[in-house]
Amino acid sequence: MLADVKPPFIPEGASGMTILVEWPPGDPGTPPHRHSGPCFGYVIEGAVRFELEGEPERVVKAGETFWEPGGDVIHYQDGNALSDAQTKFVVTMLCEPGQPMLTFVDEEELKQRAPRRAPRPTA
């Protein structure tokens, strides 16, 4: 068993997409965004810097899984946590009917929701 999570309700007519993501060393990943439905991922190689709104940043290593509920939650980071090696992960994203799979979050909304973000790691 790699993951055992209880996702939110998936409405009739939802669609799904599975993609392979490959980040070169140090790649910051996708800018802050949200998904209309839940997402489930598995890191094949390397390590992913993963951060969801309200949760502390963490590193998900090869052989580990991650998931996010989708909806209103901002996904801040999904970049390569390694500066000297590539990272690969597979993610299956479910999409609410009639909604985009991924929506970028603009700077103004990031500022408005800043209090919801977990404290940043210190060096």
Side-chain angles (χ1 to χ4, degrees):
M1 167 106 42
L2 296 174
D4 184 12
V5 299
K6 184 170 177 75
F9 173 73
I10 308 300
E12 186 174 336
S15 61
M17 172 190 306
T18 299
I19 62 171
L20 172 64
V21 178
E22 299 180 75
W23 294 136
D27 193 300
T30 309
H33 61 279
R34 60 173 51 96
H35 297 277
S36 62
C39 301
F40 305 87
Y42 176 79
V43 180
I44 298 168
E45 178 182 325
V48 175
R49 188 171 312 285
F50 189 82
E51 182 189 0
L52 295 177
E53 186 172 58
E55 296 180 9
E57 175 184 311
R58 63 190 174 103
V59 174
V60 184
K61 298 176 183 172
E64 297 177 343
T65 64
F66 59 87
W67 89 284
E68 60 183 285
D72 190 45
V73 176
I74 295 175
H75 186 174
Y76 284 99
Q77 296 188 68
D78 69 356
N80 189 344
L82 305 176
S83 61
D84 60 350
Q86 79 169 358
T87 288
K88 288 184 189 180
F89 61 95
V90 173
V91 62
T92 298
M93 302 173 284
L94 300 177
C95 184
E96 291 275 344
Q99 298 296 318
M101 189 70 71
L102 180 146
T103 305
F104 292 108
V105 179
D106 64 35
E107 288 298 321
E108 181 160 333
E109 184 177 2
L110 289 174
K111 287 178 190 173
Q112 291 172 355
R113 293 174 73 131
R116 298 182 188 187
R117 191 171 187 183
R120 309 299 307 130
T122 56

